[in-house]
Amino acid sequence: MAAALPLVRAAPEPAPRTRRLRFALVLAVAIAAASLLPYLLAYLWTPPGHHFAGFFFIADDATTYLAKMREGADGSWLWNDPYTSEPHGGVFLFGFYLLFGHLGAVLHLPMIAAYHLAGITGAIALVLAAERLCRRLLPPERANLGLVLVVLGSGAGFLAQAAGNPAIFGSQVEALDLHLPELSGWYSILAIPHFAWATALIIIALLGLLRIMEAPGWRPLALTALALIALTAIHPQMIPVLAVIWIAYRMVLLLWGQRPSWRALATEAAAFAATLPLLAYNAWILFRDPTIAEWAHQWRHQAPGPVSLVVSLGLPLLLAIVGMTVAWRRRDQGLALLLVWPPLVVALLYLPNLANIQRRLLDALFVPIGILAAVGLTSLTARLRRARARRIQVMLVTVCCFSSMIVLAIALRFASGAFAEAYVNDDAWQAMQWLSAHHQAGDRALSAPAAGQLLPAWAGVPVYVGHYSETIDYFQKIARVGAILAPNQPDAAVQTFLAANRVTLLYWGPDEAATGFQPGIHAYLHPLYRHGAVAIYRVSGG
């Protein structure tokens, strides 16, 4: 009977459903609005002569997502890498952004508006999904606390940064909670839309698996399979991670004396099996498609240092360890799912994998840590007087959420116009708007990498070099551009280079002019456009 005891002896009556939904909806809307606020302010506070590029965090990657959305808006369900010149066919990757590109086209939205729509809907989906999981696994009086810690909980990496990132055990301590959106719900929502949606789908899939475990049937199977398939289209690496977590959960329950039904096991397996075709496709193109394989080889997503990870998970991790101890001691069969999650992810994080994407396994780790932290916090204060326990809880929750407040402050600092890299000057902006309306099918532009990053997203034109990861041989290509545009290069060499790499357009701005090359004196370059310091030339025969 001890195994069935709840974590509290006398739970009060559950809050009315309308009140529970009201809190979750208010929090979801508040989080979505707060995540959009810095971007709106950045648009409103744009310095004269500039245009807001639409992003603060990981802007180089976010710009490529906008380029993928343009492909979707143009009607494609296959991704062609516009940042590299190697010939390749379309593949079904980045389906999330292709989908929102299609949606933006249907709704007649600018792509940047569709991008932020993806972020807002992801915020709402994450909060509502997390609320369901908290209600499922926690007593009613702890559910709201768990939800707040899941969404807003963050680490203490700011202390390491304030201390000058000291070295501990031979490794420099980094403020990962200020740099990696994967580590917190709020940062995921604020920074990258598909991170929030991936977490929401992970939670929905786990809720479906829990439902299948209780009452196998085709409805929970269909819901769970759809959630897992959608997750596969966003972050396929999380499917095997979830499978390992679920198997470990089942083993813990077996250890505690719960025998599973064969029907439930078969239904759970069927939900995971539904992802196999898409997983197999991803594996095939990853290792067999030459261009995709070369692109994947450039990934740099190694696991962070263990000390940095612990510090950057901070107080919520310490409270979660207390919660794990409580859940194990009392054999809480619901919390056992969250109990196995962090240790398994940490183990997988530091094991080698073929795709070299260990850091990507951190997705949604803040979910079990937040819920278990709520258990740990209330357990530590359970014997205190109610008023004192409430004060301590408020204080510790504030500390737990401090880095999330810093991340918001960083976004507001960006919005104030303090960082020029968040903006595009008017000459470049006008040139890209013109090129968006006047380029031809099959065009490819040569430019410096800074302009090359923007052209696929804002003009819809592929480039020779533009993104550190999606441009194959990025640094070598930068060197080649500098060499081929040297002032003393003969015309024949330049023309041969342009033809070999299927370059039809030359984008010419201040960065490009710094090479010393003078496009205006070459007969094979025909001027198409000029505005201020930016000009666009068409290559003869292109």
Side-chain angles (χ1 to χ4, degrees), residues 70 432-439 459:
R70 286 190 71 109
M432 287 187 288
Q433 298 304 302
W434 181 89
L435 191 56
S436 176
H438 294 88
H439 71 271

Side-chain angles (χ1 to χ4, degrees), residues 332-375:
D332 188 295
Q333 295 185 0
L335 291 176
L337 173 61
L338 307 184
L339 187 154
V340 301
W341 189 337
L344 284 173
V345 166
V346 170
L348 293 172
L349 193 63
Y350 295 102
L351 289 174
N353 65 57
L354 293 175
N356 196 31
I357 54 170
Q358 287 92 332
R359 200 186 80 208
R360 290 294 186 224
L361 307 182
L362 289 169
D363 273 11
L365 185 61
F366 55 84
V367 173
I369 288 177
I371 295 176
L372 289 168
V375 175

Side-chain angles (χ1 to χ4, degrees), residues 43-355:
Y43 279 107
L44 294 173
W45 295 344
T46 298
H50 292 78
H51 296 264
F52 179 47
F55 317 108
F56 301 136
F57 302 105
I58 320 180
D60 46 5
D61 287 353
T63 303
T64 72
Y65 301 146
L66 198 63
K68 295 169 178 71
M69 291 178 63
R70 286 190 71 109
E71 293 188 51
D74 290 338
S76 178
W77 285 106
L78 299 177
W79 172 63
N80 284 272
D81 186 353
Y83 287 95
T84 200
S85 57
E86 286 73 11
H88 59 283
V91 293
F92 183 69
L93 287 176
F94 302 105
F96 175 85
Y97 290 105
L98 294 172
L99 171 63
F100 270 91
H102 280 272
L103 183 61
V106 169
L107 298 177
H108 301 288
L109 293 175
M111 285 301 97
I112 190 63
Y115 178 91
H116 287 298
L117 176 63
I120 293 171
T121 54
I124 294 172
L126 191 159
V127 173
L128 295 183
E131 190 270 346
R132 289 291 302 273
L133 188 63
C134 289
R135 296 291 171 189
R136 168 91 190 207
L137 300 180
L138 294 174
E141 74 277 7
R142 297 183 184 180
N144 289 345
L145 174 61
L147 179 59
V148 169
L149 289 174
V150 167
V151 176
L152 297 175
S154 54
F158 62 91
L159 295 177
Q161 189 154 310
N165 302 107
I168 299 179
F169 301 123
S171 176
Q172 189 176 39
V173 182
E174 301 176 86
L176 300 177
D177 47 331
L178 303 182
H179 302 293
L180 297 183
E182 303 98 308
L183 284 186
S184 76
W186 167 245
Y187 202 170
S188 295
I189 290 168
L190 187 62
I192 305 292
H194 73 269
F195 283 3
W197 270 106
T199 298
L201 290 168
I202 287 170
I203 297 172
I204 293 169
L206 291 175
L207 286 167
L209 289 167
L210 289 169
R211 180 61 179 158
I212 289 172
M213 187 175 68
E214 290 178 345
W218 70 267
R219 288 184 179 177
L221 170 59
L223 172 65
T224 307
L226 286 173
L228 289 172
I229 291 170
L231 177 62
T232 308
I234 299 176
H235 277 171
Q237 75 277 4
M238 290 308 297
I239 301 301
V241 173
L242 288 184
V244 170
I245 291 169
W246 189 256
I247 291 170
Y249 173 52
R250 276 297 199 176
M251 291 177 65
V252 169
L253 294 185
L254 185 62
L255 179 66
W256 288 351
Q258 179 178 325
R259 292 184 175 275
S261 73
W262 287 107
R263 185 184 175 196
L265 291 177
T267 309
E268 293 158 14
F272 281 104
T275 67
L276 291 178
L278 190 51
L279 283 176
Y281 173 77
N282 275 272
W284 183 80
I285 60 174
L286 187 63
F287 295 108
R288 299 302 298 271
D289 184 292
T291 303
I292 300 302
E294 188 64 28
W295 164 63
H297 182 70
Q298 298 183 155
W299 290 345
R300 295 293 181 268
H301 300 309
Q302 291 89 351
V307 176
S308 296
L309 182 61
V310 169
V311 171
S312 297
L313 292 173
L315 183 59
L317 176 62
L318 298 179
L319 294 173
I321 292 172
V322 175
M324 293 167 69
T325 303
V326 172
W328 179 268
R329 187 175 68 247
R330 299 187 179 178
R331 296 193 173 189
D332 188 295
Q333 295 185 0
L335 291 176
L337 173 61
L338 307 184
L339 187 154
V340 301
W341 189 337
L344 284 173
V345 166
V346 170
L348 293 172
L349 193 63
Y350 295 102
L351 289 174
N353 65 57
L354 293 175

Side-chain angles (χ1 to χ4, degrees), residues 419-436:
F419 301 94
E421 57 268 28
Y423 298 89
V424 181
N425 68 61
D426 187 64
D427 291 347
W429 182 264
Q430 296 298 335
M432 287 187 288
Q433 298 304 302
W434 181 89
L435 191 56
S436 176

